[in-house]
Amino acid sequence: MVHELADYERAADQCHLTAGQLSGVLFDEPTVFGHVAVDEDDVPVGFALWFLNFSTWTGTSGIHLEDLYVRPGARGTGAGGALLAALAEICVRRGYQRLEWVMLDWNPAAQFYAAIGATVTDDWLPYRLTGDALRRLAERATPVNR
């Protein structure tokens, strides 16, 4: 379904995730956590992949939702809401103060997110280092930092 999400986000050519990679980060050396929504026949219809972050302002961990995807045929069935509710329950139970995610500006899910009370944080801008820029910065690391 991750590849289906990449296709939906108009970036299929950028998704290179393999089943082995996903299995590794979920089960071998867990750094990512996941929930799967299934229909009445136990067929997967959606997923949420997430990891923990930390807020120095609240002094607590939180959940960063990396991907939330519901297959087109299951949209509107409550699967997405159930996945988000499961993550919210983890936050409340563990004392986490935040459940955060980013999404593409054209994604119609914005209406759904607003309906559950999520707000856009337009004062914080996401930054990303990849490829050559990431490698150039890594080269600047001193031996003490390695």
Side-chain angles (χ1 to χ4, degrees):
M1 282 189 284
V2 172
H3 288 273
E4 290 177 30
L5 171 61
D7 186 54
Y8 173 76
E9 292 183 347
R10 305 172 189 158
D13 60 322
Q14 297 174 37
C15 185
H16 305 288
L17 178 72
T18 67
Q21 288 172 314
L22 186 57
S23 178
V25 297
L26 284 169
F27 305 113
D28 298 341
E29 190 174 327
T31 57
V32 174
F33 306 92
H35 286 72
V36 176
V38 297
D39 66 12
E40 60 278 350
D41 296 321
D42 211 31
V43 175
V45 296
F47 72 91
L49 286 178
W50 57 276
F51 54 87
L52 294 179
N53 56 22
F54 183 79
S55 169
T56 55
W57 291 10
T58 67
T60 64
S61 292
I63 288 178
H64 176 82
L65 175 60
E66 180 65 17
D67 289 322
L68 175 68
Y69 177 71
V70 176
R71 289 182 162 151
R75 293 181 188 153
T77 65
L83 289 164
L84 283 174
L87 299 185
E89 189 277 330
I90 291 169
C91 287
V92 170
R93 180 170 30 91
R94 295 182 183 178
Y96 301 164
Q97 300 297 305
R98 296 178 179 164
L99 170 56
E100 299 177 320
W101 62 91
V102 297
M103 66 165 223
L104 294 167
D105 60 1
W106 55 262
N107 191 329
Q111 295 172 347
F112 166 64
Y113 295 145
I116 63 170
T119 57
V120 175
T121 55
D122 56 7
D123 54 342
W124 292 90
L125 301 175
Y127 282 80
R128 179 178 294 160
L129 275 174
T130 62
D132 290 340
L134 179 64
R135 285 186 280 285
R136 281 192 304 273
L137 184 58
E139 290 170 359
R140 293 174 42 189
T142 62
V144 173
N145 295 336
R146 292 182 188 175

